[in-house]
Amino acid sequence: MENSTPAKPHVIIVGAGFGGLEAAKLLGHKPIRVTVIDRTNHHVFQPLLYEVATAALSPADIASPIRGVLSKFPNIDVVLAEVRGIDLTAKKLSAGEQDFSYDYLILATGSRHSYFGKDEWEKLAPGLKSLEDAVEIRRRLLLAFEYADRITDPAARQAAMTFAVIGGGPTGVEMAGAIAEISRYTLAKDFRHIDPSLARVILIEGDERVLSSFPEDLSASAMKQLRDLGVELRLGVHAENLTEQGLEVRGEFIPCRVKIWAAGNTASPVGKMLGAPLDRPGRVIVNEDLTIPGHPEVQAIGDLANFSHQTGKPLPGVSPVAMQQGRHAARNVLTMIEGGKPQRFRYRDKGSMATIGRNKAVADLNFIHFSGFPAWLAWLFIHIIFLVGFRNRVAVLLQWAWAYFTFNKGARLITRNFQAELRPPS
Ligand SMILES: Cc1cc2nc3c(=O)[nH]c(=O)nc-3n(C[C@H](O)[C@H](O)[C@H](O)COP(=O)(O)OP(=O)(O)OC[C@H]3O[C@@H](n4cnc5c(N)ncnc54)[C@H](O)[C@@H]3O)c2cc1C
């Protein structure tokens, strides 16, 4: 089916994550037609996914329906469909059963985790990118304790209560800290046959320090804060030979039931549909104005794009980059509609933060580094401000306050059939 010829310029935005949503909001109420296409009906606030994975928050607390977010803009249509092909010459794309013509295209389809060619590891060690991933990890974590509570063999019990997080970037650090907290505090009194506080949490990182994109003093602080929580750090090593039963680290087999992957990213496959130059992780190498070579009407932003014109290295895959690029791409479209040229993009880096647990975090605001309680407060504040939707802000704030004073995490739900996974070995 072909949509009718647009009287007004038609802008298509693919992906309603951090970048796409910012672009759409800036184009709202403008005399143009905008279509936002996403394969899910919700925007996910990915920085809080680990809180869903560790039962602190529910999926709906960190997600907002895309239609709801954009409903106040009459010129924006939302389509639930997956983009499967792009024809740059015809200025068309196919999504679901439909073809769409565009005058301007903004691609913001993000990234997925990468298993560096070992795709069979995905089942053994899920990564954390979507709500489905978070709910699956939560299920595995909670089931591991249930299973350990049922069996009597000490070695099998220890393996069930050993959690390996592979990758010591912000996601791995947050996951490891949160698993240690839930086992030491939240679950500590819930079981009669096991002591959840004895759970082993192992963080495996190929570099010699965690948070290697942060300044060294903050990495050192993060490592101390993790160790204070009882997280074992295995640094300068790689996880190998993953199986259902465990994994190997430098020749040592570590029996562990739950493994979580936080070690690598690859760009969304939408980049490959363009025939434009890609870097090794599959990101589209964009011009300094975010357009793709030879097609000023097409821009790629956020995790999908490799923008190396500022520091000589690609900008990091973080939400401020995606949001600033989203707004810039939208302004470029408006400029081009008025006959102007797309403008050069400059990223304004306001710093970065990572949280480790209750009262534990690190913050790098470029001109100052700090950690512990003040960093944790700053982290809470920033995340509440940027969370999409007033309802979500209130819900998250209330649950954080409740968890802070009671150590309780309310979303400890195991959904889906689990009988087979609970059965003790025969
Ligand atoms: C667990 C985790 C924690 C993080 N923590 C932080 C943090 O603390 N601070 C920070 O700054 N950044 C953090 N990030 C990174 C940040 O979330 C990303 O950099 C940001 O989401 C990138 O925005 P984006 O718009 O490029 O892509 P995304 O936000 O990933 O959005 C991509 C959108 O495209 C849609 N899509 C994908 N393919 C298609 C298709 N073929 N057709 C239609 N739609 C499609 C997806 O459904 C999605 O809605 C974290 C990321 C993760 C995964």
Side-chain angles (χ1 to χ4, degrees):
M1 192 172 81
E2 173 64 44
N3 55 337
S4 58
T5 314
K8 296 174 182 169
H10 185 205
V11 184
I12 295 187
I13 300 170
V14 186
F18 281 101
L21 215 47
E22 284 299 300
K25 286 188 205 157
L26 204 136
L27 296 175
H29 296 308
K30 297 286 188 299
I32 54 177
R33 222 157 54 85
V34 180
T35 304
V36 174
I37 304 177
D38 200 294
R39 64 179 175 196
T40 70
N41 78 334
H42 50 269
H43 164 86
V44 178
F45 191 79
Q46 291 175 3
L48 291 181
L49 272 174
Y50 84 95
E51 296 237 351
V52 174
T54 52
L57 296 173
S58 294
D61 297 336
I62 66 157
S64 303
I66 298 164
R67 284 186 189 282
V69 177
L70 299 175
S71 63
K72 62 179 174 220
F73 303 114
N75 65 324
I76 300 184
D77 188 15
V78 176
V79 175
L80 173 64
E82 181 161 27
V83 168
R84 294 176 185 277
I86 301 173
D87 182 341
L88 290 179
T89 315
K91 293 194 188 171
K92 277 186 180 176
L93 60 80
S94 62
E97 303 297 302
Q98 277 180 278
D99 286 337
F100 295 82
S101 302
Y102 61 81
D103 298 301
Y104 300 94
L105 178 62
I106 298 176
L107 295 170
T109 48
S111 57
R112 285 291 299 165
H113 16 261
S114 153
Y115 289 81
F116 308 117
K118 307 251 186 204
D119 291 348
E120 66 278 12
W121 286 0
E122 182 160 16
K123 273 201 183 123
L124 301 168
L128 187 58
K129 272 282 175 200
S130 63
L131 287 179
E132 289 82 1
D133 295 336
V135 170
E136 174 60 20
I137 290 174
R138 179 181 75 184
R139 185 175 153 279
R140 290 186 188 202
L141 288 177
L142 296 176
L143 268 176
F145 287 105
E146 296 292 342
Y147 177 73
D149 196 54
R150 278 201 179 183
I151 56 178
T152 49
D153 174 52
R157 214 176 229 183
Q158 185 58 60
M161 286 170 56
T162 299
F163 303 92
V165 179
I166 304 158
T171 302
V173 164
E174 285 166 359
M175 276 304 300
I179 298 171
E181 271 202 337
I182 193 175
S183 52
R184 311 283 184 262
Y185 303 114
T186 313
L187 299 178
K189 294 192 188 129
D190 284 7
F191 291 85
R192 299 292 161 260
H193 308 289
I194 55 167
D195 178 357
S197 68
L198 298 179
R200 232 178 128 191
V201 184
I202 304 171
L203 180 59
I204 300 163
E205 164 57 42
D207 219 320
E208 290 300 334
R209 60 185 177 114
V210 302
L211 299 182
S212 57
S213 60
F214 283 64
E216 281 190 25
D217 58 320
L218 291 183
S219 284
S221 170
M223 292 194 284
K224 180 180 178 313
Q225 294 180 67
L226 282 164
R227 286 186 176 118
D228 288 348
L229 268 175
V231 175
E232 274 177 52
L233 300 181
R234 300 289 183 104
L235 303 172
V237 292
H238 294 278
E240 288 167 282
N241 299 329
L242 270 67
T243 63
E244 294 274 356
Q245 286 70 37
L247 52 77
E248 245 178 70
V249 169
R250 205 177 261 161
E252 177 198 352
F253 181 72
I254 303 177
C256 66
R257 182 179 161 116
V258 177
K259 299 160 277 290
I260 296 161
W261 188 260
N265 273 333
T266 185
S268 139
V270 165
K272 291 199 188 102
M273 298 173 195
L274 299 173
L278 305 179
D279 67 5
R280 238 179 26 177
R283 289 173 296 195
V284 181
I285 300 175
V286 293
N287 296 326
E288 59 179 0
D289 53 12
L290 302 179
T291 64
I292 68 165
H295 287 276
E297 74 283 5
V298 181
Q299 302 178 75
I301 61 170
D303 284 6
L304 177 66
N306 171 329
F307 180 92
S308 305
H309 304 280
Q310 199 160 329
T311 59
K313 286 194 295 188
L315 291 177
V318 291
S319 52
V321 171
M323 292 167 85
Q324 290 180 30
Q325 290 187 335
R327 291 192 288 269
H328 188 86
R331 281 192 289 268
N332 271 346
V333 165
L334 296 174
T335 306
M336 286 189 275
I337 288 172
E338 284 169 7
K341 280 188 171 174
Q343 298 296 300
R344 203 171 71 151
F345 172 75
R346 298 309 283 170
Y347 174 52
R348 286 176 306 283
D349 180 3
K350 296 183 183 140
S352 38
M353 294 180 181
T355 180
I356 293 136
R358 181 191 174 82
N359 301 341
K360 293 182 169 56
V362 291
D364 168 17
L365 302 189
N366 296 328
F367 61 97
I368 183 174
H369 304 164
F370 52 108
S371 51
F373 182 66
W376 182 73
L377 267 191
W379 181 92
L380 289 186
F381 180 72
I382 296 285
H383 283 73
I384 284 292
I385 296 280
F386 283 100
L387 191 59
V388 174
F390 181 71
R391 188 209 82 92
N392 289 0
R393 279 187 213 127
V394 174
V396 169
L397 204 56
L398 285 176
Q399 287 178 81
W400 279 349
W402 177 256
Y404 190 78
F405 292 112
T406 64
F407 287 91
N408 204 345
K409 300 192 180 199
R412 303 203 297 275
L413 310 179
I414 300 172
T415 48
R416 269 185 39 208
N417 187 11
F418 49 78
Q419 288 309 327
E421 288 154 273
L422 267 188
R423 213 162 287 139
S426 48

